[in-house]
Amino acid sequence: VDSRPSSCTMNTSGAASSYSRTMEQYDMAIVKTATLSGIALDYAVTLIKQPDAFKYGVEDWCQRRRHDSAGSGEYVYRWHQSWMQTGPIISLEIDYIERDGDVFQAAIYGKDGHFDLLGGVGFSAVGETILIAALRCYVASKLGDVIDVPDSL
């Protein structure tokens, strides 16, 4: 996924029929949560927070991602770029964030209130920004270490 451009591709031929495709009809790639970025990361977060956003297909989601605003002039489904959209996730889900050189690390503690990655308790992720680190950690905690992402992303 990292080698592909981080933009949605719209199938303009037969666009009306492409909106009704279900997710099972897309060619999918298995991607490590730790490497998710850009639109693929936004896709994963949307799967968790608003799964109904894909009821008319990935192309429709991409169109809304490009054109819809959240009333504040900020585009929707751009989790990795938006403090307004990601701030509540960080506030409610992420227990720890720190800067480590050029990257940030985010963690979610285990049920006992501790973080022990070697013991399999909790989740941790790194990223180039606070938002990316936090979202990778959040996605890993909800969907696991790998997820299926449409090839078009």
Side-chain angles (χ1 to χ4, degrees):
V1 166
D2 291 337
S3 63
R4 294 184 205 118
S6 74
S7 64
C8 294
T9 56
M10 179 68 179
N11 177 3
T12 55
S13 63
S17 65
S18 69
Y19 288 144
S20 62
R21 295 194 313 179
T22 62
M23 293 306 292
E24 292 81 29
Q25 293 174 304
Y26 289 95
D27 290 330
M28 305 294 271
I30 297 173
V31 180
K32 290 182 180 180
T33 304
T35 65
L36 287 171
S37 63
I39 196 167
L41 181 56
D42 293 342
Y43 166 84
V45 176
T46 304
L47 276 179
I48 299 164
K49 298 295 287 178
Q50 297 171 322
D52 286 347
F54 301 105
K55 69 181 174 183
Y56 298 113
V58 172
E59 293 90 353
D60 178 68
W61 175 76
C62 288
Q63 285 292 90
R64 286 182 286 129
R65 186 177 182 276
R66 273 197 289 267
H67 301 293
D68 289 358
S69 72
S72 63
E74 186 168 300
Y75 290 102
V76 296
Y77 309 125
R78 296 199 185 180
W79 309 94
H80 81 282
Q81 297 173 321
S82 170
W83 279 97
M84 186 169 70
Q85 292 173 47
T86 301
I89 294 172
I90 293 172
S91 177
L92 296 171
E93 301 283 345
I94 304 298
D95 295 312
Y96 175 81
I97 297 176
E98 78 170 356
R99 184 179 195 126
D100 185 11
D102 292 340
V103 297
F104 293 89
Q105 179 176 11
I108 297 174
Y109 299 145
K111 290 181 179 142
D112 64 356
H114 295 83
F115 179 76
D116 177 10
L117 191 58
L118 296 176
V121 178
F123 298 89
S124 177
V126 297
E128 304 79 37
T129 68
I130 292 172
L131 297 177
I132 292 171
L135 291 173
R136 285 176 177 167
C137 186
Y138 175 67
V139 170
S141 75
K142 301 294 185 186
L143 301 178
D145 292 333
V146 295
I147 67 164
D148 291 332
V149 175
D151 277 339
S152 63
L153 303 180

